[in-house]
Amino acid sequence: MNSKFLKKATLALTSLAMLSSLAACATTSRGGDSAATNLQKGDLIGISMPTKADQRWNVDGANLVRELEDAGFKTKLAYANNSPSQQSTDINNLVSAGAKAVVVASVDGTAVGPAVKQAKDGGATVIAYDRLIMNTDAVDYYVTFDLERTGILEAQTIIKRLDLENGGGKDTPYNIALFAGSDDDNNAPYFFKGAWDLLKPYFESGQLVDPSGIVTKDFKNEDWKKISVHAWDQSQAQKQMDAIMTKLGDKPLAAVLSPYDAISLGVMKSIKNARPDMTPTIPFDSKNPTNKSAWPIITGQDGMDIAITNIHFGAQEQTVFKDISKLSKQTTDLIESISKGETLKSDNEPMNNGNKDVPTWLMQSDELVKNPTGDQKGLDYVVETGFITEDQYQKDIKAPIIE
């Protein structure tokens, strides 16, 4: 064959290969962000959950595996035992196993940054699940619930039950204990802001008082870590409540703002130990605010089994329930759209993680109570949404409270 022809053919093939390579590396704008386009149906999706110790994360993991596999993807699921270092290792292992996308519900939204950066550099799409990953450019998308709505629903329950809008606490200020979520969880300040924006006016008016002295009318949203419960830990919440109960003494306690059912349980155990005279059979009544034996109005979040039990028997007033099947469905929809090369656009405003505005999809949560009115849901809604089985629900409403 002619040597000049061979040289031209080689150059043509080289150019074609370069064009193909460039096409394979091209990125498509998706709602103001860029993500790798090499994700295809049948690819492996890595799922990194924080812990198996909490009921909801087990359900989240199972939901994601089912939804993604039904959509034609392979999955690999890892649990980090609430360890940031273990989660970083898990993410690295998922990418090494060939994951073209990683879905990360972070243990620590900052600590996991370097691991997702490595994943992103390795060509994987990174989706922050429920908790935003902070201070990195390596997050492509964020799927969560309307975070402030959680605190809003909790605060509204307290305001209504204490009749604050009609002057409850004007003559005799009501004692209230306030808790915020874990200091390493980016969701926690949003939960607190939603509640504090509504409760602060009643501190300013003198209707609400924190017996610990930490929260006053001058307390700001950015002060939330002063009342945070690290790792959302029940035992830590109980210790913090022990200190509050010591300062409360024998005075009535009207309410407890708790952002999570396990924190609520720790609070209840503390109250039970410090003040055995207080009983859930006598709920706090704004018409009789001096009754020292009255049980406080206690909020919560996540629809845990123990919360269903405690709400049924009156020890907890409500729980903000997030139908987490919505998260897995939205996450699967995003991954499917990416695999098709479609442009992704959210109706919600992006959330800033300290480095970038991350395209965000927000789901709506619901409030569960024993006797629902208006937009509230009954306790059996956890069965309707598939969060627990009917058999488990029946066990919940027959189980002993505060255990």
Side-chain angles (χ1 to χ4, degrees):
M1 187 178 289
N2 186 292
S3 61
K4 288 184 179 180
F5 176 79
L6 278 173
K7 188 176 289 186
K8 287 181 180 179
T10 301
L11 285 170
L13 288 170
T14 301
S15 298
L16 185 60
M18 288 176 67
L19 286 170
S20 298
S21 176
L22 286 170
C25 295
T27 60
T28 302
S29 175
R30 307 182 193 283
D33 199 22
S34 296
T37 59
N38 59 348
L39 177 61
Q40 303 292 329
K41 280 287 183 75
D43 282 342
L44 178 67
I45 310 299
I47 304 165
S48 174
M49 294 283 108
T51 178
K52 280 188 173 182
D54 290 344
Q55 175 184 349
R56 71 148 295 186
W57 298 118
N58 291 303
V59 179
D60 274 295
N63 284 347
L64 282 165
V65 167
R66 183 182 63 255
E67 293 279 349
L68 287 165
E69 291 187 353
D70 285 349
F73 298 94
K74 299 173 186 174
T75 63
K76 189 173 179 64
L77 172 62
Y79 284 91
N81 196 30
N82 264 337
S83 167
S85 60
Q86 180 59 53
Q87 185 162 51
S88 294
T89 299
D90 289 344
I91 293 169
N92 290 335
N93 289 341
L94 291 169
V95 175
S96 295
K100 293 294 194 286
V102 287
V103 180
V104 181
S106 60
V107 175
D108 182 325
T110 299
V112 79
V116 297
K117 176 70 163 59
Q118 283 188 312
K120 179 72 173 173
D121 289 346
T125 297
V126 176
I127 298 176
Y129 184 93
D130 193 61
R131 299 170 174 176
L132 185 57
I133 300 169
M134 304 300 293
N135 304 322
T136 177
D137 292 328
V139 187
D140 294 301
Y141 309 108
Y142 179 34
V143 179
T144 190
F145 283 85
D146 185 338
L147 304 177
E148 289 190 26
R149 177 175 166 83
T150 296
I152 289 170
L153 291 174
E154 291 166 352
Q156 285 176 340
T157 289
I158 291 172
I159 291 167
K160 181 179 179 180
R161 289 288 282 105
L162 300 188
D163 202 27
L164 295 174
E165 290 183 340
N166 295 316
K170 282 278 190 181
D171 297 329
T172 304
Y174 295 157
N175 289 303
I176 180 173
L178 296 95
F179 291 83
S182 185
D183 52 2
D184 58 5
D185 188 337
N186 182 66
N187 287 1
Y190 293 99
F191 295 151
F192 180 72
K193 182 181 185 303
W196 185 238
D197 284 350
L198 296 182
L199 294 177
K200 184 175 182 178
Y202 298 105
F203 276 81
E204 293 172 338
S205 67
Q207 291 168 260
L208 294 179
V209 177
D210 172 17
S212 76
I214 296 174
V215 180
T216 69
K217 64 181 178 60
D218 298 318
F219 201 80
K220 299 179 177 62
N221 285 319
E222 54 265 33
D223 296 328
W224 69 276
K225 287 188 179 181
K226 294 178 181 178
I227 56 170
S228 65
V229 180
H230 183 68
W232 304 88
D233 183 66
Q234 174 188 316
S235 297
Q236 179 60 36
Q238 186 170 345
K239 290 177 184 177
Q240 291 175 216
M241 190 64 190
D242 286 345
I244 294 173
M245 293 303 293
T246 298
K247 291 198 173 185
L248 179 71
D250 65 351
K251 295 186 289 293
L253 180 64
V256 179
L257 174 71
S258 168
Y260 177 47
D261 294 334
I263 291 176
S264 308
L265 183 58
V267 164
M268 292 178 206
K269 288 185 174 183
S270 175
I271 296 172
K272 187 178 180 182
N273 291 337
R275 292 282 299 279
D277 61 301
M278 298 172 84
T279 171
T281 59
I282 307 174
F284 185 88
D285 185 352
S286 61
K287 294 178 182 178
N288 186 19
T290 60
N291 187 348
K292 297 178 181 179
S293 297
W295 189 260
I297 306 306
I298 301 175
T299 63
Q301 179 185 191
D302 267 3
M304 293 173 65
D305 287 325
I306 190 60
I308 299 303
T309 300
N310 287 330
I311 294 170
H312 181 75
F313 289 105
Q316 186 171 322
E317 184 68 20
Q318 54 91 266
T319 184
V320 178
F321 176 68
K322 299 178 292 189
D323 180 2
I324 52 179
S325 66
K326 296 177 182 178
L327 287 187
S328 59
K329 288 174 183 174
Q330 181 62 71
T331 302
T332 300
D333 286 348
L334 288 179
I335 291 172
E336 278 199 286
S337 294
I338 294 168
S339 71
K340 296 174 183 177
E342 296 174 350
T343 297
L344 305 182
K345 186 176 180 180
S346 172
D347 293 332
N348 304 117
E349 290 295 319
M351 294 189 72
N352 190 278
N353 73 346
N355 270 43
K356 66 181 289 189
D357 290 329
V358 182
T360 299
W361 281 258
L362 298 179
M363 311 295 108
Q364 290 295 303
S365 51
D366 296 285
E367 183 178 30
L368 307 188
V369 297
K370 185 175 181 179
N371 299 305
T373 60
D375 294 332
Q376 294 173 324
K377 304 289 187 182
L379 297 178
D380 57 356
Y381 188 62
V382 291
V383 178
E384 184 182 328
T385 59
F387 187 65
I388 63 171
T389 64
E390 177 65 28
D391 285 346
Q392 182 60 51
Y393 176 73
Q394 292 300 323
K395 290 178 182 177
D396 289 346
I397 61 176
K398 294 171 185 174
I401 62 173
I402 318 174
E403 288 194 352

